[in-house]
C-alpha cells in the first residue's frame, strides 16, 4: 500500500494481514536528513537506529557546470528542476555568484555616466520546480529581501506528480530543461521528456557514497540485536523495518547485509566461536519511496510498504497499514 501527504495512488494490492508494532526501525537516510523522521518515529514509541547508507560529498564545480549555469541564467531553459536540498543549496550559491557578477558588470558599464545601481537580488530566468518540501524550503528560506522568484512544487513528489505539472506537461520538442541533482541519483523525468523531444541537461553538485563505517555499524547492531533476541527467546518479535529512500541506498544496504552474512558463514566453518545465524535481506520489512524502489524489493520477494513522499507522518501511517508481501 502507498501512503503520501496529501494524496497518492498505488497499483500494488496489499495482502491484508496484521502488522505488529516494530521493536526496531532502521533509518538509512543521510545524516543531514535523518533527524526529523527519527524523532517522529521515536515519539510514536519506536526504537529507531540511524544507520546512513549514503553520505553526500560535494563535487568540484566544472567549467561545463558553469557553462550550463550561464546558459540557464541567460534564459536558455524553460524550467529548472531541483531534486534535493543539497542540490538546491549548491546551485543557489552559484546562482548568487552569477547575479553579483552581472550586477558588477552593469555597474562598471554605467560608471562613466556616474550612475549607481544597488544589488537587486535574485531573479529566476525560468520556472523553478522543487521536488519536495525540504528542497523548496532551502530556496524559499534563502531569498534576499529584493529577490523575486516563485518556487513551484508538484502535488506528489514523484515522476507522475512532476509530469502532471503544467510547467512540465507543456514542454515540447526543442524546449530545454535543466536539472540540479546528485551524481548517481535517479534520472528524473528524463525518459518521458526526451521521448517528447525535450532537451535535458543536468548538473551533479554532489555524489552519493557508502559511508566508510556503514558495514561496521551494521555488524555491531546485528550482534546486539541477535544477542537480545536470543536472551528473550522472542521468536514472535516483528521484523525490523528498514526505511530506504533511493536505489543507491538500497544497493549499499544489500551489499552490506550479504557481506556480513557471508562473514558469519565463514566464521562458523572456522575455529572461531559459534555465532548466531546472520540476518538476511528477507528478515527485514522495508519502507520504500516510489515505484522504482518498490519494484527493486519486489523482485527479491521482500515485504514492503511503498510511500510517495518522505514526510514522517506518511512513513508512520504506512508502517501502521497492511504490508505488501512479495512472496
Amino acid at each position: 500500500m502507498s501512503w503520501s501527504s496529501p494524496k497518492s495512488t498505488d497499483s500494488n494490492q496489499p495482502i491484508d494481514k496484521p502488522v505488529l508494532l516494530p521493536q526496531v526501525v532502521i533509518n538509512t537516510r543521510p545524516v543531514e536528513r535523518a533527524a526529523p523522521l527519527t524523532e517522529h518515529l521515536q515519539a510514536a514509541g519506536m526504537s529507531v537506529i540511524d544507520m546512513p547508507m549514503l553520505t553526500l560529498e560535494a563535487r568540484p564545480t566544472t567549467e561545463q557546470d558553469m557553462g550550463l549555469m550561464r546558459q540557464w541564467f541567460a534564459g536558455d531553459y524553460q524550467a529548472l528542476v531541483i531534486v534535493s536540498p543539497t542540490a538546491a543549496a549548491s546551485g543557489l550559491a552559484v546562482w548568487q555568484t552569477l547575479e553579483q557578477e552581472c550586477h558588477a558588470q552593469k555597474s562598471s558599464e554605467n560608471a562613466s555616466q556616474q550612475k549607481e545601481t544597488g544589488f537587486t537580488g535574485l531573479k529566476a530566468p525560468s520556472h523553478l520546480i522543487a521536488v519536495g518540501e525540504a528542497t523548496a524550503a532551502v530556496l524559499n528560506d534563502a531569498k534576499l529581501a529584493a529577490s523575486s522568484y516563485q518556487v513551484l512544487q508538484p502535488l506528489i513528489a514523484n515522476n507522475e506528480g512532476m509530469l502532471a505539472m503544467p510547467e512540465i506537461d507543456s514542454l515540447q520538442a526543442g524546449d530545454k530543461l535543466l536539472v540540479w541533482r546528485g551524481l548517481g541519483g535517479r534520472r528524473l523525468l528524463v525518459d518521458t521528456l526526451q521521448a517528447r523531444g525535450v532537451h535535458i541537461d543536468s548538473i551533479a553538485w554532489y555524489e552519493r557514497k557508502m559511508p566508510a563505517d556503514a558495514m561496521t555499524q551494521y555488524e555491531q547492531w546485528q550482534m546486539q540485536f541477535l544477542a537480545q533476541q536470543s536472551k528473550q527467546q522472542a521468536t514472535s518479535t516483528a521484523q525490523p523495518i528498514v526505511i530506504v529512500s533511493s536505489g543507491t541506498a538500497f544497493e549499499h544496504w544489500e551489499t552490506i547485509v550479504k557481506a556480513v552474512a557471508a562473514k558469519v558463514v565463514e566464521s562458523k566453518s572456522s575455529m572461531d566461536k559459534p555465532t548466531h545465524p546472520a540476518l538476511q535481506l528477507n528478515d527485514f520489512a522495508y519502507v520504500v519511496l516510489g515505484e522504482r524502489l518498490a519494484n527493486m524489493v519486489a523482485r527479491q520477494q521482500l515485504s514492503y510498504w511503498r510511500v510517495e513522499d518522505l514526510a514522517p507522518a506518511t512513513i508512520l501511517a504506512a508502517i501502521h497499514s497492511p504490508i505488501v508481501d512479495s512472496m
Side-chain angles (χ1 to χ4, degrees):
M1 179 175 290
S2 290
W3 285 85
S4 179
S5 298
K7 300 174 183 177
S8 72
T9 58
D10 184 13
S11 59
N12 289 304
Q13 296 298 318
I15 295 176
D16 210 1
K17 64 181 182 181
V19 178
L20 299 174
L21 185 67
Q23 291 186 344
V24 174
V25 178
I26 297 174
N27 184 359
T28 69
R29 301 222 68 204
V31 171
E32 58 270 30
R33 300 180 189 172
L37 176 58
T38 292
E39 292 167 3
H40 189 81
L41 296 179
Q42 286 174 336
M46 299 182 182
S47 175
V48 185
I49 295 91
D50 287 329
M51 197 180 297
M53 287 294 119
L54 291 176
T55 184
L56 308 181
E57 294 187 8
R59 300 180 69 240
T61 302
T62 66
E63 286 299 321
Q64 182 179 2
D65 295 336
M66 289 304 298
L68 293 175
M69 283 296 293
R70 293 184 190 282
Q71 290 178 42
W72 173 74
F73 192 69
D76 289 357
Y77 293 88
Q78 279 65 50
L80 167 65
V81 172
I82 306 134
V83 305
S84 73
T86 305
S90 300
L92 187 65
V94 175
W95 179 10
Q96 288 175 312
T97 298
L98 292 177
E99 201 66 84
Q100 289 163 353
E101 286 179 0
C102 182
H103 165 65
Q105 182 179 355
K106 288 180 179 178
S107 296
S108 176
E109 291 171 354
N110 292 331
S112 60
Q113 303 175 21
Q114 301 298 315
K115 291 183 179 179
E116 291 291 335
T117 57
F119 179 54
T120 57
L122 304 179
K123 294 181 180 178
S126 72
H127 295 300
L128 296 184
I129 301 172
V131 184
E133 292 287 344
T135 302
V138 171
L139 294 162
N140 287 324
D141 293 347
K143 277 191 182 182
L144 302 176
S147 294
S148 175
Y149 60 84
Q150 180 184 8
V151 181
L152 306 173
Q153 292 179 250
L155 289 177
I156 303 173
N158 60 11
N159 283 354
E160 292 79 6
M162 298 290 292
L163 288 167
M165 298 181 70
E167 296 79 11
I168 297 294
D169 185 54
S170 62
L171 294 176
Q172 303 174 15
D175 287 339
K176 296 176 69 176
L177 175 74
L178 182 62
V179 181
W180 291 355
R181 62 183 183 90
L183 190 67
R186 55 182 176 163
R187 286 163 53 87
L188 191 69
L189 308 176
V190 168
D191 292 341
T192 301
L193 293 179
Q194 284 185 336
R196 219 189 273 175
V198 177
H199 179 85
I200 301 176
D201 289 315
S202 65
I203 301 175
W205 297 109
Y206 59 93
E207 55 186 317
R208 296 121 53 90
K209 295 184 176 181
M210 183 189 294
D213 63 347
M215 186 171 296
T216 299
Q217 189 178 7
Y218 174 78
E219 278 187 290
Q220 292 173 347
W221 169 79
Q222 179 182 253
M223 187 181 303
Q224 294 170 357
F225 177 78
L226 292 175
Q228 184 180 34
Q229 294 291 91
S230 179
K231 280 183 183 179
Q232 296 177 347
Q233 296 181 339
T235 56
S236 61
T237 301
Q239 289 175 297
I241 290 174
V242 183
I243 298 169
V244 189
S245 59
S246 77
T248 304
F250 181 74
E251 289 167 359
H252 291 172
W253 170 263
E254 180 182 10
T255 297
I256 287 172
V257 171
K258 289 183 175 179
V260 172
K263 284 177 66 176
V264 171
V265 170
E266 289 175 7
S267 69
K268 283 185 175 183
S269 61
S270 69
M271 300 299 293
D272 294 340
K273 183 179 178 180
T275 58
H276 300 289
L279 295 173
Q280 307 293 331
L281 287 174
N282 60 5
D283 289 316
F284 301 88
Y286 298 85
V287 177
V288 298
L289 176 65
E291 181 180 7
R292 177 171 173 262
L293 260 174
N295 290 338
M296 287 178 71
V297 298
R299 281 195 294 270
Q300 301 209 41
Q301 298 186 323
L302 305 174
S303 299
Y304 68 95
W305 298 270
R306 170 180 160 183
V307 296
E308 301 303 335
D309 66 63
L310 295 170
T314 296
I315 291 175
L316 181 60
I319 291 172
H320 286 154
S321 76
I323 196 169
V324 176
D325 193 335
S326 301
M327 294 295 289

